Amino acid sequence: MERRDFLRAAGPAAVAGFAGCLGGGSADTDYDVGMSAKAFRPVRIAVEPGTTVRWLNTSKQGHSVTAYEDEIPDEADYFASGGFDTEQAARDNWGSSSGGTMYEGQDFTHTFDTLGEHPYFCIPHERAGMVGTVVVTENPETATTGE
């Protein structure tokens, strides 16, 4: 569902509550990336080094935020909900009590210090295309972002 269609269907109260949240976040929003049933919203965001990004599960589905370990910049800290140090550990523990599952209303934060693209995915919905990217750049206003 496109963001405009969602906002139109959700009504004025939801529009006020989500203003900016689905579009990339700002200092006035309470999260930067939301999670629909099988998508991150927005899919791609651009931030400056030192920015803490907050993901919020805005759906009833269980989700994860799991970095593609081999695709993030070499100097970057690995990130995954559940605090795992590797992609394999996150995958191996999915579904266990410490598996990094984010339920509706739960969030995960990570501070990005290393320039470059930081791709990530949701473990149970990866095959459905639930992937996203945080682009860390000195000038996020000129970086390409998307739904």
Side-chain angles (χ1 to χ4, degrees):
M1 176 182 289
E2 293 294 320
R3 178 175 58 200
R4 288 187 185 117
D5 294 337
F6 168 80
L7 294 174
R8 190 178 308 112
V15 171
F18 284 105
C21 295
L22 297 176
S26 72
D28 298 334
T29 62
D30 68 346
Y31 64 92
D32 300 291
V33 181
M35 300 172 181
S36 66
K38 292 192 172 65
F40 291 105
R41 298 282 187 225
V43 171
R44 184 177 177 93
I45 64 169
V47 300
E48 294 178 339
T51 300
T52 299
V53 173
R54 179 176 180 233
W55 288 264
L56 179 68
N57 186 349
T58 55
S59 80
K60 295 188 185 306
Q61 300 282 330
H63 293 296
S64 76
V65 174
T66 310
Y68 282 111
E69 187 171 8
D70 292 339
E71 296 180 32
I72 61 174
D74 289 339
E75 308 79 31
D77 291 334
Y78 183 76
F79 62 98
S81 55
F84 299 103
D85 292 330
T86 67
E87 180 180 338
Q88 191 59 55
R91 287 182 185 275
D92 289 347
N93 285 287
W94 172 257
S96 71
S97 61
S98 61
T101 306
M102 297 168 55
Y103 297 101
E104 183 177 18
Q106 292 182 320
D107 69 352
F108 169 73
T109 61
H110 180 74
T111 301
F112 290 87
D113 294 315
T114 306
L115 293 172
E117 294 195 2
H118 301 255
Y120 61 92
F121 65 100
C122 172
I123 292 172
H125 302 114
E126 180 182 20
R127 288 186 179 181
M130 190 168 180
V131 298
T133 304
V134 174
V135 179
V136 181
T137 176
E138 294 293 345
N139 193 355
E141 291 80 29
T142 61
T144 303
T145 58
E147 299 287 323

